[in-house]
Amino acid sequence: MIKVLIVDDHPIVLEGSKRLMESAEDIQIDTELQAVDVINQLSENRYDVYLLDVNLGEDDGISLAQTIKEQTGARVILYTGDDPTNYYSLIVEKKVDGVVSKMATRFQVIQTIRAAVQGLIMIPMDFLDYIDFNRREEIQLTAKEKMLVSWLQEGLTNKEMASKLHISLRTIERYWTQLFQVLGATSRESVLEIVKEKRLLE
Amino acid sequence: MKKKWLVLLVYLGLGIYLSIVAYKAPLLKMELQQRDGQWSVKSHYYEEWARKQDIEIGDIVLAIENKPIDTMPLVPYDQTIRGANALTIKKQDGTILQITVLHGDLPIQFYLHVFLPIIYFILSLGAALYLYRWQRDIGSVKWLISFILTVALTYLSSVASSKFNFIGTIVNSGGIILVPLILLKFLKSYYSYLHIKWPFIQYIEKLYILPLTGAVLGGIKILQPYTKDVIAIILLATSFVLFSFPLWVLLYSYYKKRTIKLRLLILSVILPFLPFLLLFALPEVLWQRPILHAEYSILFVLLIPFCFMFLHVTERLFDIHYYITRTSYYLMVAVGFTIWLSMGLFFLMDKASIWGTILFLFISILLFLYIKEKVDAKYRDILFTPKGNTIRQLSRVIDQMSVAYRVDELLDILKVEAARHLEIKNIKIVNYDGKEQSMPTEYGMTDEQIQQLQAGEIVKLTNVYGALVHQEARMKRLLLIEHRNTIRLKDEELLWLKLLLKYVESAIESLKKIEELLQELQSLQQTAEQEPIWLKKLVWLKVEQEKYYVAQELHDTVLQNLTHLTREMSLLVEDDTAISIQGLYQQMQNNVQDLRTYCETLKPPVLNKLGLTAALSQLAQQVSSKASFKLYTTFERVYLQHEQLPLVIYRIVQELLNNALKHSEATKVTLSLQELDEGFELIYEDDGIGCTLEHMLQADSLGIRGIRERVEAFNGKCRIVTKANEGVFIHIIIEEDEEDD
């Protein structure tokens, strides 16, 4: 039995989604309207797969996905009304285990869930176009990024960096968020590790 | 009025007559004695002259002015030849001398008895006219004028009197009694001006009988020569007694009330008497030999009226408080010392040796320095009073004013300082607008006068000095200094006031500017906290416009499709089998797809969640999949201070790529985003058909205007290079200043 939690802030859509998948006998479905409620029960981790809407009202499905992946071993699939190609990068960055459009058929959704549980990622064919277009060269840091990283190595605090650049503390925090995203880092320590590992300062 | 001129005419006639008498015959004062029925010379007054003329003691005088001496009625009583142009003298050896007496041979006589009295008379007349012309509005001045004129006439008449001229004697006899009375009268009115109680008899007019009597006695003296000695003594005694009155009055009131003014008055009366007392009277009594002859020493007494006048003209007398200035102080000290030195040198010249003279000079200078130092120390406060140093005082006031930061404060300081410096209590600053607040009539200032007043100008009006402090569009600020005809501002005080007014005016101007700027700042602050109304309006209009576009778009697309779907579905509900469910499903899918695309253009879905670089890449991919051109992009990760800038960049890129899709007909489009030190640059280039810049800017559909507006809103630069068939090149730079949030 696959335990699935669908999170969507629109009750009607949620109801529709549930009905869509109920026909599958190997899937047991729960629903949740708010991200907060999901996070609160993460410690118990009663689900194998989380099906998350990207727009959760004030909350953001992508950061919820990140939290879930950090705290549990469950699979996370984005279930979006947007164009799913928008979120292909998240698959590449291993932040989610699949992206499914809400326009997708019952079969596609159920197959995606089943694949995810078995450690597979089911993707549409245009994913290859995405890969093709975004064929990444090796990551290279910009001058500003190198400067920030070297300051980090020197042990400067955010406040000191902000005053060096004559910008506000909030702005420097924003810069770091962006750099974390670029490097796929989650903390200052991991930034240093990644930089060292990939020899990004050389 | 006519009476006044009549008196002046009589006075002038008398003066001219007496001057002629004084000039007509030189004064000889040759004493005679009767011996054997003949008059012989007893002593000479002008010894040098007598020696030159070869007149010796004991020579017999036969005739005066070619008249035999026996026919002269006065000679037996007077035993003196007073004035004569010609003398006939019989020498002891029998020769008879015809002597012509000339002024040229008697220079000292001429100066003392002809030149000086006449000059003094003329000077006095001038002084009187001056006082009458400029100061007649002050009550006591007319008595000062009378005093000066009477002294002058009396002095002039003394020569004629010496020659036993009838009119001269009458005038002189009356004059010497009238002079102290007029002095008393002057003092009385001056006391009332100073608000000092008059300690003497109230009705001085009753004493006018005395000079009349004196004049009559003078007449009798000539007509009945034997009364000469008695009458002379009576007149002198009366005059002396009368002269002691003003002196007593002054000393008494000074004893009662010690004011600088009274002291000065006393000094100006007593000082001129001192040479007469110390150099003539005292040595005459002690050693029977005067240091200075009465004729000379009495000259100083003549200074009294001029002392008064000097005090008056310099406004020492009529100013409420008197401070001696350094200049006049030094003048007085120098005059005293010069007199002392001249006298000393005069006596030492022929008697003492050169060493004696040097010793005298040395001791004099030593004493002078010592005394001056003492006096300086004593009058330090007076000497170095601000009055003597207008500029210093002025700078002090300006210093004070520089602290004021409101107009009324500034005006208060002006008022207080003017009152202090000018020593006038009644100083006002009046606001005048010509309509509601008309001028209080008490100031005697007409509207017209006020209108004509220039800034910084000071005018003297009936009751006040008026000056325009500051003028605004509808209001004038006036400074009014009440003078009540008793106070006259000195030139230096007027200058002081003018300079101060000038400063105040410019200070008020500056303060006003500062006030305006402050207000502006405040209103700016307010608008900064809360947007200006026009902006709200604009934003509202824009929002409404966008709503309209959105509604129109939804209505034209989604709503039409949904309406169609609903109608199809209703047929299905009625079991119309002709309807294909599959078809409906397809339509629904398309419908959702359209709506989603539309939503994505309204709100870029990825930008906030995945960042600018990802959003741009995705946008590029979408465009690339639709486009007929090859798209090359380089999007560098940029770090921007402004949080809105990523959206701006995204929108610009969106607009540029849309244009490329719709209008460029290009085969190759390159787009690059680079980070700069502060900010970023975005470069777009295509090899399409291009167009003219004018067309590009005018065509609303191209959205170039929107791009420009966005760039300009962030202080950026947007350079567009395009020509028909030469593609389009667009270079955008936005540089961020140091953050201010």
Side-chain angles (χ1 to χ4, degrees):
Chain A
M1 205 58 159
I2 305 170
K3 290 186 214 160
V4 175
L5 179 69
I6 309 175
V7 188
D8 200 309
D9 60 332
H10 291 100
I12 296 171
V13 179
L14 197 59
E15 191 54 38
S17 305
K18 193 178 174 185
R19 247 208 337 259
L20 189 76
M21 280 167 257
E22 263 172 353
S23 60
E25 278 152 16
D26 55 338
I27 294 178
Q28 181 200 322
I29 294 171
D30 281 342
T31 57
E32 202 61 75
L33 280 164
Q34 289 188 342
V36 193
D37 297 332
V38 180
I39 293 169
N40 284 342
Q41 39 179 304
L42 274 182
S43 48
E44 300 167 34
N45 188 26
R46 296 181 297 176
Y47 303 103
D48 304 308
V49 177
Y50 289 84
L51 216 61
L52 306 180
D53 185 16
V54 175
N55 296 300
L56 289 173
E58 288 175 15
D59 297 303
D60 170 16
I62 296 170
S63 52
L64 178 60
Q66 203 169 345
T67 316
I68 294 168
K69 285 200 77 82
E70 276 167 17
Q71 295 191 17
T72 68
R75 308 290 176 198
V76 179
I77 296 166
L78 290 183
Y79 191 41
T80 177
D82 300 338
D83 185 348
T85 54
N86 289 344
Y87 305 105
Y88 285 173
S89 63
L90 293 173
I91 299 174
V92 176
E93 289 163 11
K94 300 182 193 169
K95 283 178 177 163
V96 294
D97 302 301
V99 178
V100 179
S101 168
K102 281 182 182 165
M103 295 296 289
T105 59
R106 182 201 318 237
F107 175 77
Q108 284 169 341
V109 179
I110 291 172
Q111 286 304 322
T112 306
I113 292 171
R114 284 177 179 153
V117 173
Q118 289 170 19
L120 301 171
I121 296 175
M122 204 175 91
I123 45 174
M125 294 203 15
D126 66 356
F127 186 76
L128 294 177
D129 293 337
Y130 168 82
I131 294 297
D132 183 46
F133 189 85
N134 291 281
R135 187 170 300 158
R136 282 205 197 184
E137 292 141 36
E138 288 249 335
I139 189 168
Q140 278 194 330
L141 294 187
T142 66
K144 205 170 212 163
E145 286 166 345
K146 282 184 177 172
M147 184 174 68
L148 288 171
V149 171
S150 67
W151 283 349
L152 188 66
Q153 281 181 328
E154 288 166 26
L156 264 63
T157 64
N158 275 359
K159 209 170 181 179
E160 286 164 337
M161 294 184 205
S163 74
K164 273 195 166 194
L165 288 172
H166 303 290
I167 55 178
S168 71
L169 199 58
R170 210 161 69 94
T171 309
I172 198 88
E173 280 163 0
R174 215 149 40 74
Y175 286 7
W176 278 116
T177 311
Q178 188 174 337
L179 189 52
F180 278 24
Q181 216 166 46
V182 169
L183 295 171
T186 48
S187 65
R188 292 161 79 96
E189 291 74 29
S190 66
V191 167
L192 291 177
E193 276 168 31
I194 293 164
V195 167
K196 200 177 168 190
E197 185 190 319
K198 296 187 178 171
R199 302 183 170 200
L200 291 177
L201 277 185
E202 286 161 21
Chain B
M1 200 66 196
K2 272 183 183 169
K3 204 173 112 192
K4 203 183 282 174
W5 292 114
L6 195 71
V7 168
L8 186 70
L9 213 65
V10 171
Y11 180 84
L12 270 179
L14 274 175
I16 291 167
Y17 171 75
L18 292 172
S19 303
I20 291 168
V21 170
Y23 181 76
K24 218 167 73 184
L27 190 69
L28 283 177
K29 288 204 214 168
M30 186 187 283
E31 278 185 50
L32 302 176
Q33 62 183 354
Q34 200 170 26
R35 196 188 294 165
D36 312 327
Q38 286 183 311
W39 292 97
S40 63
V41 177
K42 189 184 168 192
S43 70
H44 300 303
Y45 192 76
Y46 300 107
E47 282 178 30
E48 207 180 323
W49 171 80
R51 207 166 41 246
K52 275 189 185 164
Q53 301 296 330
D54 199 18
I55 303 170
E56 288 167 55
I57 310 283
D59 288 353
I60 293 161
V61 180
L62 294 177
I64 303 169
E65 310 279 20
N66 297 325
K67 288 179 194 158
I69 196 160
D70 301 334
T71 61
M72 304 292 226
L74 273 173
V75 171
Y77 308 103
D78 195 31
Q79 304 183 343
T80 310
I81 301 173
R82 299 226 163 228
N85 286 308
L87 292 176
T88 312
I89 283 173
K90 186 178 162 196
K91 298 278 290 180
Q92 277 157 342
D93 58 4
T95 44
I96 289 173
L97 293 175
Q98 284 291 337
I99 296 167
T100 314
V101 186
L102 296 170
H103 283 301
D105 297 332
L106 289 161
I108 295 175
Q109 180 277 151
F110 176 72
Y111 285 126
L112 272 183
H113 298 292
V114 182
F115 183 71
L116 260 183
I118 292 175
I119 287 296
Y120 186 83
F121 182 75
I122 293 169
L123 277 180
S124 301
L125 259 181
L129 280 175
Y130 173 83
L131 286 175
Y132 180 76
R133 172 88 176 73
W134 295 107
Q135 313 276 318
R136 64 178 145 182
D137 40 0
I138 302 173
S140 51
V141 163
K142 77 175 179 197
W143 292 109
L144 183 60
I145 293 173
S146 314
F147 181 56
I148 289 171
L149 291 179
T150 317
V151 169
L153 196 67
T154 308
Y155 178 46
L156 185 63
S157 71
S158 69
V159 185
S161 168
S162 302
K163 292 174 187 168
F164 274 32
N165 174 282
F166 183 66
I167 292 174
T169 310
I170 289 176
V171 169
N172 191 251
S173 311
I176 55 171
I177 296 171
L178 187 61
V179 166
L181 285 180
I182 291 181
L183 181 59
L184 266 179
K185 193 75 197 168
F186 164 69
L187 284 177
K188 191 186 172 195
S189 73
Y190 185 60
Y191 269 45
S192 83
Y193 173 83
L194 291 183
H195 307 292
I196 298 176
K197 194 167 167 277
W198 179 245
F200 196 61
I201 44 169
Q202 293 299 318
Y203 300 104
I204 299 167
E205 291 79 9
K206 285 180 183 168
L207 295 173
Y208 284 167
I209 192 75
L210 290 176
L212 275 178
T213 319
V216 172
L217 284 176
I220 293 172
K221 187 169 91 171
I222 302 299
L223 296 175
Q224 305 295 325
Y226 58 88
T227 59
K228 173 180 95 82
D229 291 336
V230 184
I231 287 174
I233 288 171
I234 291 172
L235 287 177
L236 275 174
T238 315
S239 177
F240 184 75
V241 170
L242 288 180
F243 258 115
S244 66
F245 285 165
L247 215 59
W248 175 79
V249 164
L250 278 171
L251 287 172
Y252 176 78
S253 47
Y254 182 65
Y255 172 74
K256 287 274 176 194
K257 194 172 177 181
R258 288 164 186 274
T259 69
I260 299 172
K261 257 185 197 163
L262 280 179
R263 190 192 309 159
L264 233 100
L265 274 177
I266 291 170
L267 285 179
S268 59
V269 174
I270 292 177
L271 270 181
F273 269 113
L274 281 183
F276 182 75
L277 262 174
L278 297 177
L279 299 176
F280 173 74
L282 207 66
E284 173 81 27
V285 172
L286 291 178
W287 304 295
Q288 279 79 45
R289 186 176 170 274
I291 295 173
L292 200 65
H293 280 292
E295 305 163 308
Y296 299 104
S297 51
I298 203 71
L299 286 179
F300 290 98
V301 179
L302 296 174
L303 287 177
I304 294 176
F306 281 95
C307 275
F308 281 153
M309 203 186 110
F310 174 71
L311 292 177
H312 180 91
V313 168
T314 53
E315 289 163 49
R316 299 313 179 211
L317 222 46
F318 292 100
D319 219 337
I320 303 299
H321 299 283
Y322 167 67
Y323 292 108
I324 192 163
T325 66
R326 250 186 287 191
T327 321
S328 54
Y329 171 75
Y330 287 155
L331 209 69
M332 278 166 71
V333 170
V335 164
F337 187 58
T338 310
I339 289 172
W340 167 254
L341 275 186
S342 326
M343 280 186 337
L345 290 173
F346 182 75
F347 286 108
L348 286 169
M349 204 62 94
D350 35 3
K351 286 179 191 115
S353 66
I354 181 108
W355 296 111
T357 312
I358 289 172
L359 190 71
F360 167 75
L361 281 176
F362 179 74
I363 294 172
S364 298
I365 292 170
L366 204 71
L367 280 174
F368 171 74
L369 289 177
Y370 176 76
I371 293 169
K372 186 178 173 294
E373 196 181 304
K374 288 281 161 201
V375 177
D376 278 357
K378 189 160 183 256
Y379 291 104
R380 195 172 46 231
D381 290 348
I382 299 169
L383 271 179
F384 299 102
T385 179
K387 199 102 176 184
N389 201 340
T390 310
I391 300 301
R392 211 185 59 187
Q393 217 275 342
L394 189 67
S395 84
R396 197 180 60 79
V397 179
I398 291 177
D399 266 354
Q400 272 193 336
M401 284 181 168
S402 62
V403 204
Y405 57 88
R406 287 204 322 272
V407 173
D408 49 349
E409 258 178 275
L410 195 75
L411 292 176
D412 274 348
I413 296 176
L414 171 69
K415 207 161 77 176
V416 170
E417 286 302 319
R420 195 154 89 185
H421 183 68
L422 306 176
E423 282 138 7
I424 297 170
K425 270 185 204 153
N426 222 338
I427 292 183
K428 279 195 185 120
I429 289 173
V430 180
N431 292 342
Y432 168 85
D433 64 5
K435 285 169 201 156
E436 290 145 39
Q437 297 166 291
S438 64
M439 206 58 168
T441 45
E442 54 179 294
Y443 297 117
M445 211 167 176
T446 63
D447 286 358
E448 200 186 339
Q449 277 172 323
I450 295 170
Q451 291 305 331
Q452 282 172 353
L453 212 53
Q454 299 288 315
E457 183 191 19
I458 303 166
V459 291
K460 189 176 185 180
L461 302 164
T462 335
N463 293 318
V464 291
Y465 281 100
L468 181 61
V469 182
H470 183 250
Q471 179 163 13
E472 280 168 43
R474 268 183 289 167
M475 190 187 64
K476 287 166 187 264
R477 288 197 176 84
L478 299 166
L479 179 72
L480 299 172
I481 302 169
E482 203 171 340
H483 59 64
R484 275 176 299 173
N485 290 325
T486 53
I487 298 157
R488 203 175 76 88
L489 292 181
K490 276 175 277 175
D491 283 349
E492 121 187 321
E493 287 168 336
L494 286 173
L495 182 67
W496 179 88
L497 196 60
K498 269 183 193 168
L499 289 173
L500 197 60
L501 284 173
K502 209 164 193 173
Y503 175 79
V504 169
E505 202 210 354
S506 72
I508 290 178
E509 283 294 324
S510 313
L511 282 176
K512 286 219 151 308
K513 283 220 173 82
I514 293 171
E515 269 173 30
E516 276 168 24
L517 284 175
L518 273 177
Q519 273 176 0
E520 213 168 291
L521 271 180
Q522 272 169 358
S523 70
L524 275 180
Q525 237 165 14
Q526 279 172 359
T527 47
E529 284 160 9
Q530 144 189 38
E531 301 86 7
I533 291 163
W534 63 265
L535 184 62
K536 285 183 188 168
K537 216 169 178 176
L538 187 72
V539 168
W540 178 78
L541 278 174
K542 280 276 172 196
V543 168
E544 287 300 312
Q545 204 175 31
E546 288 305 317
K547 278 184 190 168
Y548 174 83
Y549 288 142
V550 172
Q552 192 69 38
E553 189 77 22
L554 290 176
H555 179 266
D556 290 350
T557 55
V558 181
L559 189 61
Q560 298 306 314
N561 292 340
L562 279 178
T563 312
H564 171 70
L565 274 173
T566 313
R567 280 209 309 250
E568 296 283 292
M569 296 276 278
S570 74
L571 291 177
L572 192 67
V573 170
E574 289 163 20
D575 288 332
D576 189 337
T577 47
I579 301 299
S580 144
I581 298 178
Q582 191 61 39
L584 284 182
Y585 175 60
Q586 194 58 50
Q587 278 182 32
M588 293 283 280
Q589 269 189 324
N590 292 343
N591 216 346
V592 171
Q593 187 64 41
D594 288 349
L595 191 55
R596 188 167 61 200
T597 313
Y598 181 64
C599 281
E600 279 179 7
T601 52
L602 287 181
K603 177 187 168 229
V606 184
L607 188 61
N608 289 329
K609 299 190 179 80
L610 301 179
L612 177 66
T613 321
L616 286 178
S617 301
Q618 203 233 311
L619 182 67
Q621 194 202 340
Q622 282 171 1
V623 171
S624 198
S625 65
K626 286 186 261 181
S628 56
F629 53 77
K630 194 103 176 81
L631 178 63
Y632 300 93
T633 57
T634 1
F635 297 124
E636 196 185 36
R637 291 184 297 280
V638 289
Y639 292 79
L640 301 163
Q641 290 172 25
H642 279 288
E643 280 182 86
Q644 299 93 327
L645 272 183
L647 181 63
V648 172
I649 295 171
Y650 184 87
R651 288 293 187 206
I652 291 172
V653 171
Q654 201 175 30
E655 201 70 56
L656 288 172
L657 291 178
N658 272 344
N659 280 347
L661 276 175
K662 286 185 201 160
H663 312 288
S664 74
E665 296 177 30
T667 59
K668 184 179 145 193
V669 173
T670 47
L671 192 59
S672 88
L673 173 69
Q674 305 275 329
E675 175 158 54
L676 300 177
D677 283 348
E678 309 280 343
F680 68 93
E681 73 174 339
L682 186 69
I683 299 168
Y684 168 93
E685 196 169 6
D686 72 39
D687 61 352
I689 54 166
C691 73
T692 62
L693 200 59
E694 289 76 23
H695 177 254
M696 192 176 247
L697 292 176
Q698 275 164 9
D700 225 19
S701 60
L702 292 180
I704 291 292
R705 260 216 320 239
I707 291 175
R708 274 202 147 176
E709 277 168 16
R710 288 193 190 108
V711 173
E712 277 162 10
F714 285 86
N715 286 325
K717 280 175 228 157
C718 177
R719 191 162 65 94
I720 302 166
V721 183
T722 180
K723 265 183 193 168
N725 299 317
E726 284 182 25
V728 177
F729 175 86
I730 297 176
H731 187 188
I732 292 165
I733 292 183
I734 293 183
E735 281 181 299
E736 295 177 293
D737 296 329
E738 283 180 9
E739 220 170 50
D740 48 11
D741 62 345

